[in-house]
Amino acid sequence: MATAVASQVPVSAPAGSDCRVRSSGIQVTNSVSFGSKSWIGAALAWESKAARPRHVNKVHCMSVQQASKGKVAVKPLDLESAKEPPLNTFKPKEPYTATIVSVERIVGPKAPGETCHIVIDHGGNMPYWEGQSYGIIPPGENPKKPGAPHNVRLYSIASTRYGDSFDGRTTSLCVRRAVYYDPETGKEDPSKNGVCSNFLCNSKPGDKVQVTGPSGKIMLLPEEDPNATHIMIATGTGVAPYRGYLRRMFMEDVPKYKFGGLAWLFLGVANTDSLLYDEEFTSYLKQYPDNFRYDKALSREQKNKSGGKMYVQDKIEEYSDEIFKLLDGGAHIYFCGLKGMMPGIQDTLKKVAEQRGESWEQKLSQLKKNKQWHVEVY
């Protein structure tokens, strides 16, 4: 993939991958074969200085692989030097004014609702770590406090500290548009729609956005042991922090972090069209079959063992013996998504523990004490 400073940078992506060129003045050349796969070898050549965009992340690939190196170079590497994560660099009273780079719908036509991948340019002024959140202040005034701005809305960051352009200047958010339908008429009521999610999903490149943060320590990726096991459980847009983890583990060439453990992702969504970053995750599965596992729970397409809808907790129960053994061996487990996901998951884990003759309350207490248990729900 490309970095931001070179005028001609080699790029490789699998033929047929979801790679969209978003700027004029780009020439794509060369096609090569690599092993059994076809690849497009590309060179980005900006026809003039005026045509060259400020960020090469205008070329936005949802699935990125490099035939020659296997991983993508990132910079600036001094983003690795901080001993503690950055926290609340910009506060609600003095937010940072960032710029929208791109907004892309990332679900298919049969998905219930709309989810967008939003890239924001922070100019390198708001560094963050994987697993943190940004706050967004939508424009307009707070209806409950006339004259005051809207409250901050938190969104889990869906990129690594280097952003989708690998240059440390952008962040990405995964946002589902919150829409309200009147139960009596069945019609959408815009007055009750989510203010911030609709602002973000309606944004255009170049629009300004007020950003606070970064915030959060709960979902930070523990990197002391590069061979650790990480079990990641998400519903919907709760997959955001895991996309950051997995890009850091499998996509980026980070000198100080060479992942050699197991990353196991469970993603629960309604149907195939609702899957988020599926091409990206599937590519890791092909490249790193010994280090990555990927299980999907599609509630409208799959049945659980009882014949009911398949939810993420059903997948957890399916693999419960393995999961419990991994937890006993020190694995980290993460949960991110809607609050409503947790009761069903907790009930499943408690039932499995009891079947194993264990006390779930004691086990949970020990997991928290060992800092293996990470939960961020909203």
Side-chain angles (χ1 to χ4, degrees):
M1 191 56 179
T3 54
V5 293
S7 60
Q8 187 167 333
V9 187
V11 174
S12 299
S17 67
D18 187 14
C19 181
R20 296 174 175 79
V21 178
R22 298 195 179 280
S23 287
S24 59
I26 299 177
Q27 299 171 346
V28 180
T29 59
N30 301 333
S31 67
V32 297
S33 61
F34 181 73
S36 60
K37 298 179 182 178
S38 298
W39 296 81
I40 297 170
L44 304 187
W46 310 112
E47 291 169 353
S48 68
K49 285 185 180 179
R52 179 169 47 191
R54 190 170 165 196
H55 295 307
V56 179
N57 66 340
K58 297 291 174 97
V59 181
H60 179 60
C61 292
M62 296 309 297
S63 160
V64 181
Q65 298 176 19
Q66 283 196 329
S68 57
K69 292 175 65 177
K71 290 196 175 184
V72 182
V74 292
K75 64 180 191 177
L77 289 177
D78 59 11
L79 289 177
E80 301 293 323
S81 59
K83 301 297 182 189
E84 291 291 325
L87 286 170
N88 302 312
T89 311
F90 290 89
K91 297 178 171 59
K93 289 187 177 177
E94 294 182 340
Y96 180 76
T97 302
T99 305
I100 298 289
V101 175
S102 61
V103 177
E104 179 180 11
R105 179 187 168 102
I106 55 170
V107 291
K110 295 179 182 176
E114 180 177 31
T115 301
C116 294
H117 181 78
I118 299 163
V119 180
I120 298 172
D121 174 8
H122 60 76
N125 297 306
M126 283 191 71
Y128 55 88
W129 284 10
E130 298 74 24
Q132 289 193 297
S133 298
Y134 264 6
I136 304 293
I137 304 174
E141 69 174 40
N142 189 331
K144 295 180 181 177
K145 298 178 183 176
H150 280 288
N151 293 334
V152 174
R153 271 73 163 184
L154 289 178
Y155 291 92
S156 296
I157 294 171
S159 53
T160 73
R161 66 195 71 185
Y162 298 102
D164 284 8
S165 55
F166 310 105
D167 62 1
R169 298 179 64 89
T170 68
T171 190
S172 301
L173 304 180
C174 180
V175 179
R176 176 165 175 164
R177 189 189 291 273
V179 180
Y180 175 82
Y181 290 92
D182 187 294
E184 292 184 7
T185 64
K187 293 182 179 179
E188 184 182 336
D189 183 350
S191 67
K192 295 181 182 178
N193 286 349
V195 172
C196 198
S197 65
N198 283 276
F199 159 67
L200 287 170
C201 291
N202 291 335
S203 295
K204 302 287 187 290
D207 287 355
K208 300 301 178 184
V209 56
Q210 301 296 305
V211 187
T212 69
S215 63
K217 281 186 168 185
I218 294 169
M219 296 292 285
L220 293 178
L221 182 64
E223 298 188 358
E224 301 82 19
D225 178 5
N227 298 316
T229 295
H230 303 274
I231 303 166
M232 301 164 281
I233 296 159
T235 55
T237 58
V239 78
Y242 309 142
R243 179 180 186 255
Y245 297 172
L246 295 169
R247 285 171 81 91
R248 186 164 173 83
M249 290 169 176
F250 301 128
M251 184 182 286
E252 298 178 344
D253 183 13
V254 182
K256 290 187 176 180
Y257 184 57
K258 303 295 184 186
F259 182 67
L262 172 66
W264 191 354
L265 173 63
F266 291 87
L267 175 57
V269 293
N271 56 21
T272 302
D273 270 23
S274 303
L275 288 167
L276 304 171
Y277 311 112
D278 187 60
E279 269 192 56
E280 205 163 287
F281 301 151
T282 302
S283 75
Y284 303 147
L285 207 54
K286 292 174 183 173
Q287 288 178 286
Y288 303 96
D290 296 332
N291 302 97
F292 183 52
R293 294 176 67 172
Y294 178 29
D295 282 280
K296 311 166 196 179
L298 308 177
S299 61
R300 299 188 185 181
E301 293 179 5
Q302 298 172 332
K303 300 291 184 186
N304 62 24
K305 65 180 184 182
S306 303
K309 291 183 176 182
M310 175 72 81
Y311 293 109
V312 74
Q313 60 263 33
D314 299 310
K315 279 289 176 187
I316 293 169
E317 186 174 6
E318 194 176 316
Y319 293 103
S320 56
D321 277 346
E322 246 183 302
I323 290 171
F324 271 64
K325 284 173 186 173
L326 290 169
L327 291 174
D328 289 342
H332 291 271
I333 190 164
Y334 309 80
F335 304 88
C336 191
L338 295 172
K339 274 182 188 173
M341 74 185 272
M342 286 310 293
I345 289 171
Q346 290 266 34
D347 289 347
T348 296
L349 292 171
K350 184 176 182 180
K351 181 172 77 173
V352 171
E354 288 171 353
Q355 288 170 352
R356 294 166 59 90
E358 300 180 57
S359 161
W360 173 242
E361 287 72 19
Q362 287 181 8
K363 194 171 194 70
L364 178 58
S365 176
Q366 194 63 44
L367 291 171
K368 289 178 178 178
K369 185 179 176 182
N370 295 345
K371 298 182 179 178
Q372 294 172 251
W373 183 263
H374 312 263
V375 179
E376 188 168 84
V377 291
Y378 41 84

